[in-house]
Amino acid sequence: GGGGGFGPPQGGRGGRDGRGPGGGGRGTRAPRAPQPEGPIIVGRRCYIGNLSWKTSWQDLKDHFRTCGTVVYADVMREASGRSRGCGIVEFENAEEAAVAIETMNDVELEGRLIFVREDREDRDLRASKPPRDAAAQPYEQQ
């Protein structure tokens, strides 16, 4: 006979269904403004990665100003003062942060394609989600 049909399934990735708003289709469509129904759930802070070492907090603030009112911007640095290549931008409200995530991800800044996601250390987000819900579906209302 043949090699048998047992073992790990070939193809698809299991365990991703129903986890988090938005889901698949990354990069397949042009970015769209958040819709009133079911906006992405984010706090006011965004984590920015793949920054050029020469990017300053001022550069971040200027770049993200088109998304809304930037109330805080910083580039994380080593003890030596050298950039770690990532930073934080905080907006006046969560809607502006959502716009930044949808419109600034994979956009070039100082010669590099940056990535933008919600800041997982955002105090506003942690306060609104009990820790036990972190592994479940935090967007589901009780």
Side-chain angles (χ1 to χ4, degrees):
F6 298 103
Q10 302 296 314
R13 299 178 180 158
R16 305 258 331 184
D17 50 301
R19 297 203 21 195
R26 223 170 234 268
T28 56
R29 278 188 225 135
R32 295 180 13 212
Q35 301 300 310
E37 308 172 353
I40 29 180
I41 297 174
V42 293
R44 295 179 303 147
R45 290 165 63 106
C46 296
Y47 174 89
I48 320 299
N50 200 37
L51 294 174
S52 162
W53 283 349
K54 66 182 182 178
T55 302
S56 69
W57 68 266
Q58 292 100 330
D59 298 325
L60 276 183
K61 185 171 183 175
D62 291 344
H63 187 71
F64 283 88
R65 188 174 280 147
T66 60
C67 300
T69 304
V70 177
V71 296
Y72 174 83
D74 196 23
V75 173
M76 296 176 198
R77 301 200 171 272
E78 303 282 350
S80 66
R82 190 180 90 170
S83 170
R84 289 179 149 175
C86 58
I88 299 291
V89 174
E90 182 174 338
F91 291 93
E92 201 164 63
N93 60 55
E95 290 76 22
E96 293 171 346
V99 168
I101 290 167
E102 290 194 359
T103 61
M104 292 297 199
N105 193 44
D106 285 331
V107 168
E108 190 174 312
L109 175 60
E110 298 195 351
R112 296 179 70 104
L113 287 180
I114 60 171
F115 68 84
V116 181
R117 65 166 166 74
E118 73 276 14
D119 176 25
R120 294 178 188 143
E121 301 297 314
D122 191 328
R123 294 180 300 279
D124 292 345
L125 268 183
R126 281 188 285 164
S128 67
K129 294 181 191 172
R132 63 179 179 79
D133 288 346
Q137 296 175 341
Y139 56 89
E140 198 169 41
Q141 294 194 349
Q142 305 275 315

